[in-house]
Amino acid sequence: MSADGRSARRTAADIASAVAAGEESAAAVLDAHLAVIESREPDLHAFVSVLGDEARERAAAIDRSVAAGEPVGPLAGVPVALKDNLCTLGLATTCSSKILEGWRPPYDATVVRRLADAGAVIIGKTNMDEFAMGSSTENSSSGPTRNPHDTAKVPGGSSGGSAAAVAAGFAPLGLGSDTGGSIRQPAAFCGVVGMKPTYGAVSRYGLVAFASSLDQIGPFATTVADAALLLEVIGGHDPADSTSLDGPAPAARSRLGEGVDGLRVGLCAQLLTGAAPDVAARVHEAAEALAVAGARVEEVSIPEFDYGLSAYYLLAPAEASSNLARYDGVRYGLRVDAPDAAAMNRATRTAGFGAEVKRRIMLGTYALSAGYYDAYYGQAQRVRTLVVEAFARAYADHDVLLGATAPTTAFAIGSKADDPLAMYLSDLFTIPSNLAGHPAISVPFGTGDDGLPVGVQVLAPALAEPLLFAVAAALEVATPQEETVP
Ligand code: GLN
């Protein structure tokens, strides 16, 4: 297998069946991917840490199981890139923050355990915006990740490392977290599939919390079917997460290949307003493709979505300011010594947090402060309810909604770094699903005028993952073929 990323571009399902059948060793699969990493990682910086030795041990153990005729799971020997806010027992988990320097989690996240049970091989921990706050993976204590399609561009964020890793062929699968769009937006920028599950469908146990009422872990993959397979592996009830839904993982693959004949698709005006003309053109082509495949596409207006961004930027920082209070220089990672505890706490947080994290903590503390609580936090909660109700009305007449994932294709590194508001606007189209707790997916659909990937977003009601993946698969089949391999 060559190291140009192309021949490593096999699906996870393919690799797992070859490994399980003993036709190919997990060790060889791993080596092929490590070779791709060696050749391109210096230019991309997708990883905070590559777990070569741990992964080799794991691959060898899978090969021994295959040789012994023991059952191996549905991801046997498949390399997976993990966002560095997912706890890995004994292995550094940094959230790309200085404040977690040197911290090694005493447990595995539930999704990490489920990956291990399924036979997957964790190949590395990926770079991210610090504590998942950002849309470009530039807010990282170890420097930015670059877009594999054009290294002058951002990969999106905050799960930019996982998106870039999958796009570059470093691993066929990746995991990210999506609080306001952090899986779907980087998936769109990097030309891969990225999906945010229904809130509660995937356990958050061991996901370092940003905004707990919005955070969800979800899959990155090069195909819709692989993303669905990964969701089936990581999803399902977990008693360790009090917000975990009862029941098994969504049967994400159950309707793949069913097509969209007769489905009612709502092309949502608010998920296009403000999109660049080339991005909007791809979304219209996607709508047309679904119509050709038999769907009934109608335009729908959901004005409440326009208030989503403002509500999110009160709610998410409010929850973050509370969640991040735990980094006190005592319990985790960095400590900057000072004469007394309060001074130590202040010095540690001053040195350990980056500028964007500090901005969020201050915004959130302000939104929650006495006298302002009702005007800001309370009002934002009421807007959240309006968004939920607006979705319910839209879904009375439509099975799924369609729109852009992000307003533009990948932007230049540095171009929004000094303008938080411009950066926040990248999430305009992804935030409504987080506020409602609904699933949504970004599917690559052609390219923009700059030749960079465009993502089309499909949104569905809570727990409608099988339907969501069916529509995504129909879009995948209709994708314009000129796509570039980075
Ligand atoms: N970009 C958004 C933010 O900065 C969303 C982040 C996320 O989904 N983790 O808050």
Side-chain angles (χ1 to χ4, degrees):
M1 202 175 279
S2 71
D4 66 357
R6 273 160 217 272
S7 39
R9 217 58 65 85
R10 292 167 55 202
T11 67
D14 247 22
I15 292 173
S17 68
V19 169
E23 292 158 7
E24 196 170 356
S25 71
V29 170
L30 175 64
D31 283 341
H33 287 87
L34 288 173
V36 182
I37 292 173
E38 197 170 279
S39 77
R40 291 208 67 197
E41 172 65 0
D43 295 332
L44 300 182
H45 186 42
F47 289 107
V48 175
S49 49
V50 176
L51 301 172
D53 292 343
E54 294 82 357
R56 280 199 183 88
E57 270 175 39
R58 194 60 205 124
I62 289 156
D63 288 333
R64 282 195 300 275
S65 294
V66 173
E70 292 160 11
V72 285
L75 294 181
V78 177
V80 179
L82 272 192
K83 189 175 185 178
D84 207 25
N85 59 354
L86 294 165
C87 288
T88 40
L89 170 68
L91 299 171
T93 297
T94 68
C95 290
S96 291
S97 180
K98 270 212 302 242
I99 211 154
L100 280 175
E101 241 166 44
W103 182 61
R104 287 169 195 276
Y107 61 93
D108 273 329
T110 295
V111 294
V112 171
R113 255 193 300 109
R114 289 188 179 170
L115 283 175
D117 292 346
V121 175
I122 311 285
I123 199 163
K125 304 290 296 285
T126 59
N127 198 22
M128 55 186 281
D129 286 299
E130 185 178 6
F131 285 104
M133 297 173 191
S135 306
S136 67
T137 315
E138 292 168 290
N139 303 333
S140 161
S141 62
S142 65
T145 296
R146 292 172 181 275
N147 191 310
H149 294 268
D150 176 351
T151 53
K153 302 283 163 60
V154 303
S158 63
S159 315
S162 289
V166 171
F170 294 172
L173 298 178
L175 284 185
S177 62
D178 191 311
T179 304
S182 278
I183 293 174
R184 290 161 286 158
Q185 185 256 23
F189 281 13
C190 290
V192 298
V193 177
M195 190 261 171
K196 183 199 90 73
T198 301
Y199 186 79
V202 177
S203 169
R204 290 182 296 110
Y205 181 73
L207 166 68
V208 178
F210 162 12
S212 312
S213 78
L214 301 158
D215 299 339
Q216 270 294 281
I217 299 166
F220 287 101
T222 58
T223 66
V224 171
D226 266 4
L229 168 63
L230 181 51
L231 176 59
E232 288 182 5
V233 165
I234 62 172
H237 182 68
D238 176 15
D241 172 0
S242 64
T243 62
S244 164
L245 296 169
D246 285 338
R253 291 179 298 170
S254 59
R255 294 180 63 176
L256 287 179
E258 245 181 43
V260 294
D261 198 22
L263 280 186
R264 300 163 306 165
V265 175
L267 178 60
C268 180
Q270 285 72 19
L271 301 180
L272 279 168
T273 311
D278 54 346
V279 171
R282 294 299 91 76
V283 176
H284 284 289
E285 287 158 20
E288 184 55 38
L290 292 178
V292 168
R296 211 172 71 217
V297 182
E298 284 165 3
E299 298 201 0
V300 55
S301 175
I302 311 178
E304 290 82 353
F305 283 4
D306 289 343
Y307 303 103
L309 189 80
S310 317
Y312 172 87
Y313 275 98
L314 289 165
L315 297 173
E319 294 187 32
S321 71
S322 156
N323 274 325
L324 271 59
R326 73 189 63 171
Y327 305 105
D328 54 7
V330 177
R331 289 172 287 181
Y332 306 90
L334 184 76
R335 173 181 305 166
V336 177
D337 281 322
D340 60 66
M344 181 280 288
N345 184 246
R346 197 162 45 243
T348 300
R349 289 168 70 83
T350 301
F353 288 135
E356 183 60 27
V357 173
K358 287 175 181 160
R359 178 162 28 240
R360 303 286 178 109
I361 292 172
M362 288 187 277
L363 276 172
T365 306
Y366 187 73
L368 290 173
S369 58
Y372 294 102
Y373 181 94
D374 199 54
Y376 292 115
Y377 184 76
Q379 187 73 356
Q381 288 290 26
R382 286 187 280 276
V383 170
R384 186 173 189 173
T385 301
L386 291 179
V387 169
V388 171
E389 291 169 353
F391 262 119
R393 280 194 298 277
Y395 285 132
D397 300 323
H398 302 95
D399 298 299
V400 295
L401 299 175
L402 189 73
T405 303
T408 62
T409 56
F411 46 85
I413 289 185
S415 63
K416 296 185 201 282
D418 300 324
D419 186 350
L421 196 58
M423 191 71 90
Y424 296 173
L425 283 168
S426 317
D427 305 311
L428 192 59
F429 303 148
T430 44
I431 280 172
S433 304
N434 297 85
L435 291 174
H438 293 170
I441 191 166
S442 179
V443 185
F445 202 88
T447 53
D449 295 343
D450 51 11
L452 292 172
V454 170
V456 167
Q457 192 183 193
V458 185
L459 299 79
L463 291 175
E465 270 86 352
L467 173 66
L468 184 74
F469 279 104
V471 177
L475 283 177
E476 183 176 51
V477 170
T479 302
Q481 285 307 314
E482 85 275 9
E483 246 142 295
T484 54
V485 174

